[in-house]
Amino acid sequence: MKIYQVGKPEIRDLAVNTGEHTNIMIEEHGRGVYLYKFKGEDAVQLDTYAGLHLPIQTTALGKSILSRLPRKRVDSIIDRYGMPAITDRAELHDELETIRERGYATDEGERVEGMRCVAASITDSEDDPLGAISVSGPKNRIQGDRFHEEIPSKVLRAANVIEVNITFS
């Protein structure tokens, strides 16, 4: 897949620059599928691996992808797979709107207790989601300006590079 080929070096650089765990995910049949992960020097061990399928709305990666899908498609996914880790459909749609506006999603221990994640979608020239990338780490390291500014900036920058490289490769 093109996102895998083009994203792999950016994910590695992101892991080296942050010291944390980085990922690429795609949406497949309404589920999140990890394509690639790379561990920075300080990364903790997580249960993710290439090929792992998860409920898409339980991760920052998945929420960033969902934020780029039409509401009808999001509702179809929720109807099919339920809402693990989320209790209110309206709250999910509000969160997806916020993600669309700021450009990145966060996860504050929704899937893995004690972990935080920042993710951004990778879109094509039509603004349709191709996948997403993320940085994850323990709450004690991903907090304050690092959680709200530094890592989002790095993730958005890497996402933009991947989008440009996909378009012109």
Side-chain angles (χ1 to χ4, degrees):
M1 295 184 91
K2 209 169 193 181
I3 191 170
Y4 173 83
Q5 298 287 336
V6 173
K8 201 170 160 181
E10 291 302 317
I11 290 302
R12 285 183 179 154
D13 287 349
L14 199 53
V16 169
N17 290 330
T18 63
E20 303 294 354
H21 196 277
T22 58
N23 298 287
I24 300 173
M25 177 184 274
I26 60 166
E27 180 266 330
E28 185 176 76
H29 308 295
R31 307 263 297 162
V33 181
Y34 285 89
L35 288 186
Y36 182 71
K37 80 171 188 177
F38 197 83
K39 290 172 60 175
E41 187 175 301
D42 298 323
V44 298
Q45 184 62 40
L46 293 175
D47 63 347
T48 58
Y49 57 88
L52 176 65
H53 287 67
L54 294 171
I56 197 164
Q57 69 276 18
T58 62
T59 66
L61 286 155
K63 290 186 290 185
S64 65
I65 293 168
L66 289 175
S67 75
R68 299 296 182 180
L69 294 175
R71 185 180 183 116
K72 186 175 180 178
R73 174 80 173 115
V74 172
D75 285 336
S76 170
I77 291 169
I78 292 168
D79 291 344
R80 182 171 183 190
Y81 295 108
M83 294 179 48
I86 299 167
T87 57
D88 185 272
R89 189 181 295 236
E91 283 181 30
L92 174 62
H93 284 294
D94 288 346
E95 183 176 4
L96 296 178
E97 180 61 32
T98 299
I99 293 165
R100 259 190 306 280
E101 289 171 4
R102 75 177 174 208
Y104 67 92
T106 61
D107 170 346
E108 299 196 44
E110 291 161 45
R111 194 179 89 70
V112 178
E113 181 92 23
M115 294 291 289
R116 283 189 166 158
C117 182
V118 176
S121 61
I122 306 297
T123 58
D124 63 16
S125 59
E126 309 280 315
D127 205 30
D128 292 325
L130 302 172
I133 62 169
S134 71
V135 171
S136 302
K139 274 190 203 181
N140 70 329
R141 288 200 307 250
I142 311 264
Q143 60 182 319
D145 287 345
R146 189 162 194 243
F147 183 53
H148 297 287
E149 293 176 28
E150 178 190 332
I151 290 178
S153 176
K154 289 179 180 188
V155 170
L156 289 167
R157 193 173 349 185
N160 181 239
V161 169
I162 293 168
E163 288 172 344
V164 170
N165 286 337
I166 284 174
T167 301
F168 296 103
S169 65

